[in-house]
Structure formats: structure tokens, C-alpha cells
């Protein structure tokens, strides 16, 4: 029994969770099954959700006959609307499409692609290209099929748009999921500047913060107009449920419009134009989502500009430690501002569009002005905070003197060092020139050598002791002549006393001139005798010359 249940895996080789070995070869049948699941799984899920919502609306609506075939056919244009494909209802365009289904579909495709890349063992983005291609092709072909079937239906779709737009959304979402699992290609990762990557992250933070500000303003405006919102719901449950689902689906569109309103440019619904600096009244659709739109302007609206300025300051605060150089931090903030501006263009384009040909057409956000204003809201306060809140490199000393020589800049200290080096070189050359041949280098003398032995080794040709003594001693008298009397030695103490008296150190009358008595020590020992001072000075000078 133990042999039947024992595992053949070595210790520590058990799989953990749903991970697979990346180096293991995936069987062809398994690969095909994974690709088909990744391609048609999101399609079936998305279509099923749309069909369920349409069925609920049809079941709860009054005086409406329920038909399963009609629900399935109506779910096709609804699926295309979730991918932002413009519809035509009775010959009137419908371009204002809900963003919530689009966000859900993109997240579903990205998650499916990430899981499929893990099961296939994809380690690079190149290995995930077949997976991305299959997912994109499946969405494009399915959209083309719906577009062709809708040519004879009340709700029509352009087949070309139905083929291209869902395919593009699916490819982008699948690529994002595969990159999350496999990582960026090495060539792209090596070329990315760390400051640019930091700016992208700060830009994502700024865009999310602006969306949060728009959501807060929209919520406050809706709560302040709760009575108007309640009146817009129909008396019956079916109509109220349909309006509620419609409001929830268009909720991200309303948040984008509120973001544009808070930042300054505002939004338009037909003839209605609402912004912080101006207001032009007009009629709006009877949808609870739009119940918070004000009926007139208010003088306190410009105070709301503090909110986007605070978002910009938040972005600058988040990058205050990203670089020691203030200019580098400002570049990061500029990249973040560009990301926020581009995000406002994309969101504003998707949030607006045509709304039939009536008084509510079009619903739009001025994306050009909104992107520029959003860029300024991030860069100006963000750059100010990033510059002053971060570290600053120490300034260069003001006493440095830069001298341009052959394309190089030399400071004052460098010039002083060069002068000292040249002076030392000249002194070395002069010492080498003055050295006499045969002179022993002091550095090479053994410090433990006895001084008498060192004097014995001195070259006698260079220094003649007899010649030196003859120069400083009296010559011997010739035979038959009387010796010449010896001159008395000068009294140096008397000279010192007179010098101090002249300098004012001692008064002349206080100076006692003591004459030394002549003694036997002062007498000469005879002709040719060498005095003690002469003998000592000669020996000292000999040693000095040996050095």
C-alpha cells in the first residue's frame, strides 16, 4: 500500500499552488486547449453578462414581451457598445457609450492573458505573441460577425469599426497581461531611463488622484441634489431598475466630466456649458446620473481649484527624494505632467460623443484644453514642492578660479599644487647639480653607525685636516728668532653688555664690566699650539661638510 501511494518526486520537488516549471515543454494538445480557452473564454463571459442585463431589463419593464432570441440578438450591439463601437439607432448616432463595461472587459482580457501565459510557460514577451494574436483575432472576428448580422436590424453597426475597435482593445489588454507576467523585453528595459520610469509612476498617481477628486465632487453634488435625483426615477420598478443600470454604467463618464469641471475647462451637454469660469444653461436628459448638474453658477466655485493644485503638490511631494539634483526632480514632475495630460485626452475622448441629433448632442469634454490645464496643475505646484522639499547639492566654493586650458578647467588650488610641484622639481635639479662626485648621500648612511667610524670613512682627499689646522693656527717661529707674543682673545661678554645697553635692555650705569683675569688656562702652551676653540670649530666644520 505504501508503494502505491508513494510519490516519485524527489524531496522538495512538490509543486506549489498553480505554478508550472517554465523550462518544461508544453504538449501541443495542451497548448491548443490553453489558446482556445484564452481566446473564447472572455468572449463568452462578456456576452453572457450583457445578455443577462438585457434580459433583466426586458423582464422588469412594463408592456414588453420577453423573447430569448431577441435578447441574444440585442446583446450583440450591447457587447460592441462595451468596446466603444459607435451604434446607429433608427439612423441616429449613439457615440456616448458607457465606460464601466469597457473597463470590465479590458480587465477580464488582461487577467485571462496573464493566466494563459503562466500555463504556457512564457518567459518573454516574444513567446507570448501567439497568445496575444489569438485573443485579438477572436475579438475582431466576433465583432465583425455582429456587425454583419446587424445590417438588417434596427440597431446597426459599421462592420469595419466592429472589426477593428474590439481587436485593438483586446490586443492592448492582452499585451498588458502578458507584460505583467513575462516582464518587458530586455532591449526596452535597458533603454528606459530611471527618471522616466519614476515619472510614469508619479503620473499614474496624479491621474488617479485627479479621478478621485472628480469622484468626490460628483458625489457631493449628487448628495446635495438628492431630491432631484429621486424625482428622476420612474414610478414603476422596471423603469427605475433600467435607469439605475444606465446610471451605473455611465458612472465613470460622469467622474471624467467632474474632473474636467474641477480642473477648469468643464463639460458640455448640448447647449448646456458648465465650467468654473462660466455657465450657460440648457436642458439635460432625464437621467438620475445628471441630477447633480447645477442650474446656475455660484461665486464660490473657483475655490475648487485648490483641489487640483493639491494633487500637483502631492505628485511633487512623492518625488522629493527621487533625485539629489533639483533639476532631476523637476524633469520627473514634467514626465508625470505629460502622463496626466495624455490620460485626460484618452479619458475625455472615450467619455464623450454623439447623442442622437437632438438638443443633447453632443456630450463632450474639451480634451485639448483639459489636457493642457491638467499638465499645468501637475507641473507648476508639483515642481515647486519637488524643488524646495527635496535635497540640494552643496554649492561650489565662490573663490574658485576656472582657467580654460586645452578644453580643461583648472581651479585655484590646482594651480597652487602645480606651482609647488614645479618648485620642488627645480630644487631637486639644483641639488643634483651641486652635488660633488664622491660625496656620500646622507640617506644611505646607516643610522646605527658610530660617528668615529663614519669620520674614518670620509675621503681625506676631499677634506685635509692638516691644511685646515695650518690655516687657523699660528706658524711656528723660525730657529734663532724670539717667539711673537700672542694676542689676547676678545672679551665677548663685554661686547654683549654693550649691545644690550645700546638696545635699551639695561642702562649703561648698571652694566658691570667684569674683566676676566688672565690665568694659566689662558696662556699659550707654546709655539704652534692649537687653541681649544680653533680645534673644536675645525672638527665641527669637518662634520658639517661630511653631511
Amino acid at each position: 500500500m505504501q508503494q502505491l501511494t508513494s510519490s516519485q518526486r524527489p524531496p522538495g520537488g512538490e509543486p506549489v499552488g498553480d505554478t508550472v516549471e517554465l523550462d518544461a515543454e508544453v504538449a501541443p494538445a495542451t497548448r491548443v486547449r490553453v489558446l482556445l480557452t484564452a481566446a473564447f473564454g472572455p468572449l463568452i463571459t462578456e456576452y453572457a453578462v450583457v445578455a443577462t442585463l438585457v434580459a433583466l431589463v426586458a423582464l422588469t419593464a412594463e408592456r414588453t414581451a420577453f423573447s430569448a432570441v431577441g435578447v441574444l440578438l440585442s446583446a450583440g450591439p450591447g457587447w460592441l457598445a462595451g468596446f466603444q463601437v459607435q451604434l446607429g439607432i433608427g439612423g441616429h448616432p449613439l457615440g456616448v457609450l458607457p465606460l464601466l463595461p469597457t473597463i470590465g472587459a479590458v480587465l477580464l482580457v488582461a487577467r485571462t492573458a496573464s493566466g494563459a501565459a503562466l500555463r504556457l510557460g512564457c518567459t518573454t514577451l516574444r513567446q507570448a505573441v501567439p497568445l496575444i494574436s489569438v485573443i485579438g483575432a477572436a475579438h475582431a472576428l466576433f465583432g465583425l460577425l455582429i456587425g454583419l448580422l446587424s445590417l438588417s436590424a434596427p440597431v446597426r453597426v459599421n462592420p469595419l469599426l466592429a472589426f477593428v475597435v474590439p481587436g485593438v482593445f483586446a490586443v492592448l489588454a492582452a499585451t498588458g497581461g502578458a507584460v505583467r507576467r513575462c516582464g518587458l523585453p530586455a532591449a526596452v528595459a535597458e533603454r528606459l531611463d530611471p527618471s522616466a520610469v519614476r515619472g510614469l509612476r508619479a503620473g499614474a498617481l496624479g491621474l488617479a488622484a485627479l479621478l478621485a477628486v472628480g469622484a468626490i465632487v460628483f458625489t457631493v453634488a449628487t448628495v446635495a441634489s438628492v431630491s432631484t435625483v429621486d424625482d428622476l426615477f420612474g414610478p414603476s420598478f422596471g423603469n427605475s431598475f433600467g435607469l439605475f443600470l444606465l446610471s451605473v454604467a455611465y458612472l465613470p463618464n460622469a467622474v471624467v466630466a467632474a474632473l474636467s469641471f474641477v480642473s477648469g475647462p468643464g463639460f458640455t451637454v448640448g447647449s448646456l456649458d458648465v465650467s468654473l469660469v462660466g455657465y450657460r444653461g440648457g436642458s439635460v436628459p432625464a437621467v438620475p446620473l445628471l441630477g447633480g448638474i447645477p442650474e446656475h453658477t455660484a461665486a464660490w466655485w473657483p475655490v475648487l481649484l485648490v483641489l487640483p493644485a493639491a494633487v500637483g503638490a502631492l505628485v511633487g511631494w512623492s518625488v522629493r527624494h527621487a533625485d539629489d539634483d533639483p533639476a532631476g526632480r523637476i524633469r520627473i514632475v514634467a514626465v508625470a505632467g505629460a502622463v496626466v495630460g495624455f490620460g485626460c485626452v484618452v479619458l475625455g475622448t472615450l467619455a464623450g460623443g454623439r447623442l442622437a441629433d437632438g438638443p443633447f448632442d453632443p456630450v463632450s469634454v474639451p480634451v485639448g484644453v483639459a489636457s493642457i490645464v491638467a499638465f499645468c496643475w501637475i507641473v507648476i505646484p508639483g515642481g515647486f514642492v519637488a524643488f524646495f522639499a527635496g535635497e540640494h547639492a552643496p554649492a561650489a566654493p565662490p573663490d574658485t578660479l576656472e582657467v580654460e586650458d586645452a578644453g580643461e578647467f583648472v581651479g585655484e588650488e590646482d594651480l597652487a599644487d602645480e606651482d609647488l610641484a614645479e618648485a620642488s622639481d627645480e630644487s631637486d635639479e639644483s641639488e643634483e647639480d651641486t652635488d660633488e662626485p664622491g660625496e656620500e648621500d646622507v640617506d644611505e648612511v646607516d643610522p646605527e653607525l658610530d660617528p668615529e667610524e663614519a669620520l674614518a670613512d670620509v675621503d681625506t682627499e676631499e677634506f685635509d685636516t692638516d691644511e685646515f689646522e695650518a690655516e687657523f693656527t699660528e706658524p711656528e717661529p723660525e730657529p734663532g728668532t724670539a717667539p711673537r707674543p700672542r694676542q689676547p682673545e676678545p672679551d665677548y661678554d663685554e661686547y654683549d653688555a654693550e649691545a644690550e645697553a645700546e638696545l635699551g635692555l639695561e642702562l649703561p650705569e648698571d652694566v658691570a664690566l667684569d674683566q676676566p683675569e688672565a690665568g694659566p688656562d689662558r696662556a699659550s702652551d707654546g709655539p704652534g699650539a692649537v687653541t681649544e676653540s680653533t680645534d673644536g670649530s675645525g672638527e665641527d666644520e669637518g662634520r658639517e661638510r661630511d653631511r
Side-chain angles (χ1 to χ4, degrees), residues 381-465:
F384 183 83
V385 173
F387 184 86
F388 290 101
E391 299 179 357
H392 293 264
D399 56 347
T400 56
L401 177 62
E402 295 184 352
V403 180
E404 185 174 359
D405 184 11
E408 297 181 356
F409 292 92
V410 183
E412 197 173 272
E413 298 179 357
D414 298 335
L415 292 176
D417 295 339
E418 292 181 0
D419 294 340
L420 292 176
E422 292 178 359
S424 62
D425 294 341
E426 293 177 358
S427 62
D428 294 340
E429 293 178 359
S430 61
E431 290 179 0
E432 292 177 359
D433 295 340
T434 55
D435 288 342
E436 296 181 1
E439 183 179 0
E440 183 180 3
D441 192 358
V442 179
D443 296 338
E444 297 178 359
V445 177
D446 189 0
E448 299 180 357
L449 187 62
D450 187 46
E452 296 181 358
E453 296 180 1
L455 291 175
D457 295 338
V458 177
D459 190 1
T460 56
E461 295 181 359
E462 178 184 356
F463 176 72
D464 192 353
T465 306

Side-chain angles (χ1 to χ4, degrees), residues 71-430:
V71 168
L72 292 177
L73 292 177
S74 301
W79 182 83
L80 290 176
F83 281 95
Q84 299 295 313
V85 179
Q86 181 174 318
L87 307 177
I89 304 175
H92 302 285
L94 177 60
V96 186
L97 301 172
L99 279 177
L100 186 61
T102 306
I103 297 173
V106 168
L107 293 178
L108 179 61
V109 173
R111 185 177 182 277
T112 303
S114 178
L118 177 63
R119 288 190 295 272
L120 293 175
C122 299
T123 58
T124 61
L125 189 61
R126 178 176 297 180
Q127 296 176 355
V129 168
L131 174 64
I132 298 172
S133 302
V134 168
I135 295 176
H139 281 75
L141 293 176
F142 190 66
L144 178 62
L145 178 61
I146 295 175
L148 294 176
L149 293 176
S150 67
L151 291 177
S152 58
V155 180
R156 297 185 178 183
V157 181
N158 187 345
L160 181 60
L161 292 178
F163 175 79
V164 174
V165 177
V168 171
F169 272 98
V171 167
L172 294 177
T175 303
V179 166
R180 177 178 174 272
R181 178 64 60 183
C182 304
L184 288 173
V188 178
E190 291 176 358
R191 295 180 181 273
L192 286 179
D193 187 6
S195 299
V197 176
R198 190 70 180 84
L200 292 175
R201 294 177 181 176
L205 172 65
L207 186 60
L210 284 178
L211 288 173
V213 167
I216 292 172
V217 171
F218 170 78
T219 302
V220 172
T222 303
V223 171
S225 306
V226 63
S227 58
T228 305
V229 173
D230 184 58
D231 294 340
L232 292 175
F233 281 102
S236 62
F237 175 76
N239 293 335
S240 299
F241 182 71
L243 290 174
F244 174 76
L245 290 179
L246 186 65
S247 299
V248 171
Y250 278 93
L251 186 59
N253 302 61
V255 171
V256 173
L259 184 157
S260 181
F261 170 75
V262 171
S263 60
F267 61 91
T268 59
V269 180
S271 59
L272 176 66
D273 188 359
V274 182
S275 64
L276 290 179
V277 295
Y279 183 89
R280 185 181 64 199
S283 58
V284 296
V287 180
L289 183 69
L290 304 178
I293 295 179
E295 298 180 355
H296 53 80
T297 186
W300 60 270
W301 281 359
V303 179
L304 296 176
L305 295 176
V306 176
L307 298 177
V311 172
L314 174 63
V315 172
W317 182 262
S318 66
V319 301
R320 67 188 185 281
H321 298 310
D323 197 335
D324 295 338
D325 186 9
R329 296 194 295 269
I330 292 178
R331 286 193 296 268
I332 295 175
V333 173
V335 174
V339 172
V340 172
F342 179 75
C344 289
V345 170
V346 175
L347 293 176
T349 303
L350 297 177
R354 299 291 304 277
L355 184 58
D357 296 324
F360 310 126
D361 182 43
V363 177
S364 63
V365 172
V367 292
V369 179
S371 63
I372 296 175
V373 171
F375 175 82
C376 295
W377 280 124
I378 298 298
V379 172
I380 296 176
F384 183 83
V385 173
F387 184 86
F388 290 101
E391 299 179 357
H392 293 264
D399 56 347
T400 56
L401 177 62
E402 295 184 352
V403 180
E404 185 174 359
D405 184 11
E408 297 181 356
F409 292 92
V410 183
E412 197 173 272
E413 298 179 357
D414 298 335
L415 292 176
D417 295 339
E418 292 181 0
D419 294 340
L420 292 176
E422 292 178 359
S424 62
D425 294 341
E426 293 177 358
S427 62
D428 294 340
E429 293 178 359
S430 61

